Amino acid sequence: MPTEQFLERLMNTYGDELLRMCYLYLKDYQLAEDAVQDTYIKAMKSYKSFEHKSSEKTWLMRIAINCCKNVMRSRWFNIRQNNLDNHIEKISDDPIENFVEKNSVSAAIMALNADDRQIIVLYYYQELSVKEIAMIIGKSENTTIQRLNRARGKMKKLLVEVGYDKE
């Protein structure tokens, strides 16, 4: 099993990126922190089986995405998200706050479905190549390009709806 220095290196090298990606995936900071922690635990347990066919970052991102998906599969998560969305709709009556929220690129990303959000985050925030993303999501490069283009189109539509220029 890898040493504490190994874990510390992973945390220092990839911690912020993993947390950002998990947050954008789960839309909840505490759940994102938990998913990152689970990612490190799983990485420590399975490092011996890591075959180095991909980069360490790609391998960790795949583990993190699987941890996020596990969280999202839980019934508790779905109930919590529905209650949170309803609560936000009830309290956001301030037009200035609504304008700022709607004009946020992050808000547009959060409005995407999980698959589209995943591919946008991996490509633009994690700056992974299409090949690396294809390895992470377990799809071909062509399928990954199609999904990325579809997600871009949805993002563009969301941003145009809230007033961003069409260009």
Side-chain angles (χ1 to χ4, degrees), residues 10 32 46 56 62 72 110 128:
L10 289 180
S46 64
E56 197 172 66
R62 180 75 212 155
M72 292 175 74
M110 296 297 218
L128 296 174

Side-chain angles (χ1 to χ4, degrees), residues 31-46:
L31 290 176
E33 286 180 325
D34 290 346
V36 170
Q37 186 175 12
D38 286 347
T39 299
Y40 289 130
I41 291 168
K42 289 178 181 181
M44 294 292 288
K45 288 181 179 178
S46 64

Side-chain angles (χ1 to χ4, degrees), residues 105 124 152-153 155-161 163-167:
V105 172
Y124 289 104
R152 284 177 179 151
M155 276 286 295
K156 182 177 180 180
K157 183 179 176 186
L158 287 169
L159 292 172
V160 167
E161 284 175 5
Y164 277 79
D165 290 332
K166 293 182 181 182
E167 297 171 26

Side-chain angles (χ1 to χ4, degrees), residues 48-128:
K48 288 182 183 176
S49 66
F50 176 45
E51 299 175 356
H52 299 280
K53 291 181 180 177
S54 64
S55 70
E56 197 172 66
K57 179 179 179 179
T58 302
W59 175 69
L60 280 172
M61 289 293 165
R62 180 75 212 155
I63 294 171
I65 286 169
N66 286 337
C67 288
C68 291
K69 285 181 178 181
N70 289 340
V71 169
M72 292 175 74
R73 280 188 198 107
S74 75
R75 184 169 185 258
W76 173 86
F77 177 80
N78 291 325
I79 292 169
R80 186 168 184 259
Q81 283 304 111
N82 289 337
N83 289 340
L84 180 63
D85 290 342
N86 292 338
H87 181 67
I88 288 172
E89 286 175 13
K90 289 177 187 172
I91 62 170
S92 70
D93 292 331
D94 181 359
I96 294 172
E97 189 174 306
N98 285 341
F99 179 78
V100 171
E101 180 68 21
K102 287 180 180 175
N103 280 319
S104 165
V105 172
S106 295
I109 291 170
M110 296 297 218
L112 295 172
N113 68 43
D115 288 339
D116 292 336
R117 191 168 54 243
Q118 172 189 36
I119 205 153
I120 291 290
V121 168
L122 292 173
Y123 189 78
Y124 289 104
Y125 284 81
Q126 300 303 325
E127 298 178 349
L128 296 174

